[in-house]
Amino acid sequence: MRSLTRDETMMREALRLAAKGRGFTSPNPMVGAVAVQAGQITGKGYHESVGGPHAELNCLRDAGEKARGATLYVTLEPCNHYGRTPPCTQAIVKAGITRVVAGMCDPNPQVAGGGIDFLRSRGIEVEAGILERECRLLNQAFIKHATTGLPLVTIKAAATLDGRIAARTGDAKWISNERSRRYVHRLRCDLDGILVGIGTALADDPLLTARFPKKRCRQPIRIVLDSRLRLPLSHQLVQTAGRVPVWVACREQASAENVRRLRDAGVDILPLPEGPNGIDLRALLQELGRRNVTSLLVEGGARVLGAFLEENLADDCYFFYAPKLLGDPRAIPMISGKPRTRLADAVPVFAVRVRQLGEDVMIQGRFRENPY
């Protein structure tokens, strides 16, 4: 394995800083920045929360006068437009930075390259594409949302070794162990929304909140696929809708009385057209994207997971396997989709990573070979 260049080493540090904003920057990207003068780091910064100063500004403030004549390493091309904050390019020029190294260009086709062009026009040397793959992997949700308008979709399930998520009676507590469940709560902290079908909502009466005491958490929006609006007012999701948002996706012809009942309880209703597997899932993702949901965790049940796979709408997966066997052909499978009679028709999984959580095994992977 070759050694990292100095530029790559500094970009690694910028990536480490960027990841500290995970779960708090959406719909903005996670960005880290490092200022270097004569081989020494003189300033560090990252985008800490949406609406707050960008990574470049935090880094320049940290560097102070030592930013003049320095190289700025930043994981994403500096912005050159007014949004919630002024353009970072102007702050870079004012600080006296002489060289900028960007991990990747802005994925938004309307602004891509604009920041780089502006800096070069002011006599600043710019290099882009250092550790680009790593930079893109960090911000898959932001990139997908910026280029397609859709959120990044991650599917998750906990199963026995023979691939069952519940007994035939529906009993599913608990398949996975406490460490696995803690990991899922950390995932919930990091993503914008969490989705289940009405079957899971009725059977489990879940809260779907992120409960992770060792990490500052932003609660995900809780979303239920409920074409006929059967969700009872007594369920925990409805009872807590005033504290953590609950959105229920239903068909456009749903009962007006049921719509009123849930809206009066504080639930946001999303009427959508019907698709091949009930509610049109692509229309749902488009609506979520319009509402600035850039990442979505789909937790089930089996038919919901199968529908996202069948319609090629899932991007990532987390599967947790417990050392248990049900051995019952009528137990509920992890994924229920269309029959596939040939192994050649199986859905491939790429970039597979395996991690042991106590006695459980977590398998993480992607459904696309290359990142967005």
Side-chain angles (χ1 to χ4, degrees):
M1 182 181 295
R2 70 173 180 84
S3 299
L4 295 177
T5 66
R6 176 176 293 183
D7 283 351
E8 290 171 335
T9 299
M10 295 304 171
M11 190 60 70
R12 285 257 186 240
E13 176 62 14
L15 281 164
R16 185 191 68 80
L17 290 166
K20 294 174 71 173
R22 190 183 303 277
F24 294 97
T25 65
S26 179
N28 291 349
M30 292 173 276
V31 183
V34 176
V36 177
Q37 179 81 268
Q40 299 296 313
I41 293 177
T42 59
K44 296 181 179 181
Y46 69 97
H47 185 35
E48 298 176 15
S49 61
V50 63
H54 287 186
E56 297 94 324
L57 187 56
N58 284 331
C59 178
L60 295 174
R61 285 174 175 169
D62 187 45
E65 284 302 313
K66 292 182 180 179
R68 190 160 301 279
T71 295
L72 180 70
Y73 293 87
V74 60
T75 55
L76 178 68
E77 173 186 358
C79 65
N80 192 42
H81 59 279
Y82 282 88
R84 290 185 174 94
T85 59
C88 290
T89 50
Q90 294 182 10
I92 291 170
V93 172
K94 185 177 180 180
I97 293 289
T98 56
R99 179 173 180 249
V100 171
V101 179
M104 59 174 285
C105 292
D106 194 311
N108 188 330
Q110 295 182 333
V111 298
I116 291 174
D117 290 344
F118 177 86
L119 293 172
R120 285 175 174 161
S121 74
R122 297 304 189 271
I124 296 175
E125 178 187 350
V126 182
E127 185 173 355
I130 303 299
L131 298 187
E132 180 175 6
R133 184 178 179 86
E134 289 87 341
C135 292
R136 297 187 75 86
L137 284 171
L138 178 70
N139 276 309
Q140 287 291 276
F142 170 73
I143 297 170
K144 184 182 180 185
H145 186 253
T147 56
T148 70
L150 305 176
L152 191 81
V153 176
T154 299
I155 64 173
K156 167 262 169 184
T160 60
L161 290 180
D162 52 344
R164 304 292 169 163
I165 62 172
R168 68 169 69 188
T169 60
D171 179 32
K173 291 186 177 179
W174 292 102
I175 287 179
S176 57
N177 65 22
E178 186 177 344
R179 283 187 63 184
S180 294
R181 296 196 296 274
R182 220 169 30 237
Y183 194 98
V184 171
H185 280 285
R186 187 166 67 184
L187 277 178
R188 291 179 179 181
C189 285
D190 294 342
L191 304 181
D192 293 344
I194 176 172
L195 179 146
V196 297
I198 184 59
T200 297
L202 293 176
D204 297 346
D205 189 16
L207 265 175
L208 300 181
T209 51
R211 300 182 293 280
F212 196 69
K214 292 185 179 181
K215 179 178 178 178
R216 184 171 59 109
C217 276
R218 179 198 60 167
Q219 291 297 334
I221 297 162
R222 300 170 295 170
I223 303 162
V224 181
L225 293 177
D226 184 8
S227 59
R228 291 181 287 160
L229 295 180
R230 293 184 288 151
L231 189 65
L233 296 181
S234 59
H235 269 43
Q236 292 189 96
L237 286 168
V238 181
Q239 291 292 311
T240 58
R243 299 198 301 271
V244 181
V246 176
W247 299 352
V248 174
C250 65
R251 61 183 182 179
E252 293 170 323
Q253 299 80 14
S255 159
E257 173 59 25
N258 286 343
V259 169
R260 183 199 60 77
R261 172 179 63 88
L262 286 170
R263 280 182 174 158
D264 286 349
V267 174
D268 199 346
I269 305 298
L270 312 182
L272 295 165
E274 294 188 64
N277 294 289
I279 290 170
D280 188 326
L281 295 180
R282 181 166 289 275
L284 169 65
L285 294 181
Q286 289 170 343
E287 178 62 22
L288 296 182
R290 281 193 289 270
R291 292 170 175 238
N292 278 335
V293 173
T294 67
S295 56
L296 179 68
L297 181 64
V298 180
E299 291 205 6
R303 289 179 60 189
V304 172
L305 296 180
F308 273 92
L309 282 178
E310 282 180 29
E311 297 183 39
N312 195 32
L313 296 174
D315 299 295
D316 301 332
C317 64
Y318 285 85
F319 295 141
F320 299 82
Y321 289 94
K324 304 171 184 177
L325 294 167
L326 276 172
D328 182 353
R330 291 178 57 191
I332 300 172
M334 184 167 68
I335 295 172
S336 178
K338 67 181 181 182
R340 289 181 171 85
T341 58
R342 302 183 309 155
L343 282 176
D345 297 328
V347 178
V349 181
F350 304 95
V352 172
R353 299 175 64 185
V354 180
R355 176 175 175 178
Q356 192 155 353
L357 299 169
E359 293 186 341
D360 289 359
V361 174
M362 181 187 77
I363 296 179
Q364 176 188 358
R366 299 201 310 266
F367 297 114
R368 287 167 176 78
E369 188 169 7
N370 297 311
Y372 283 99

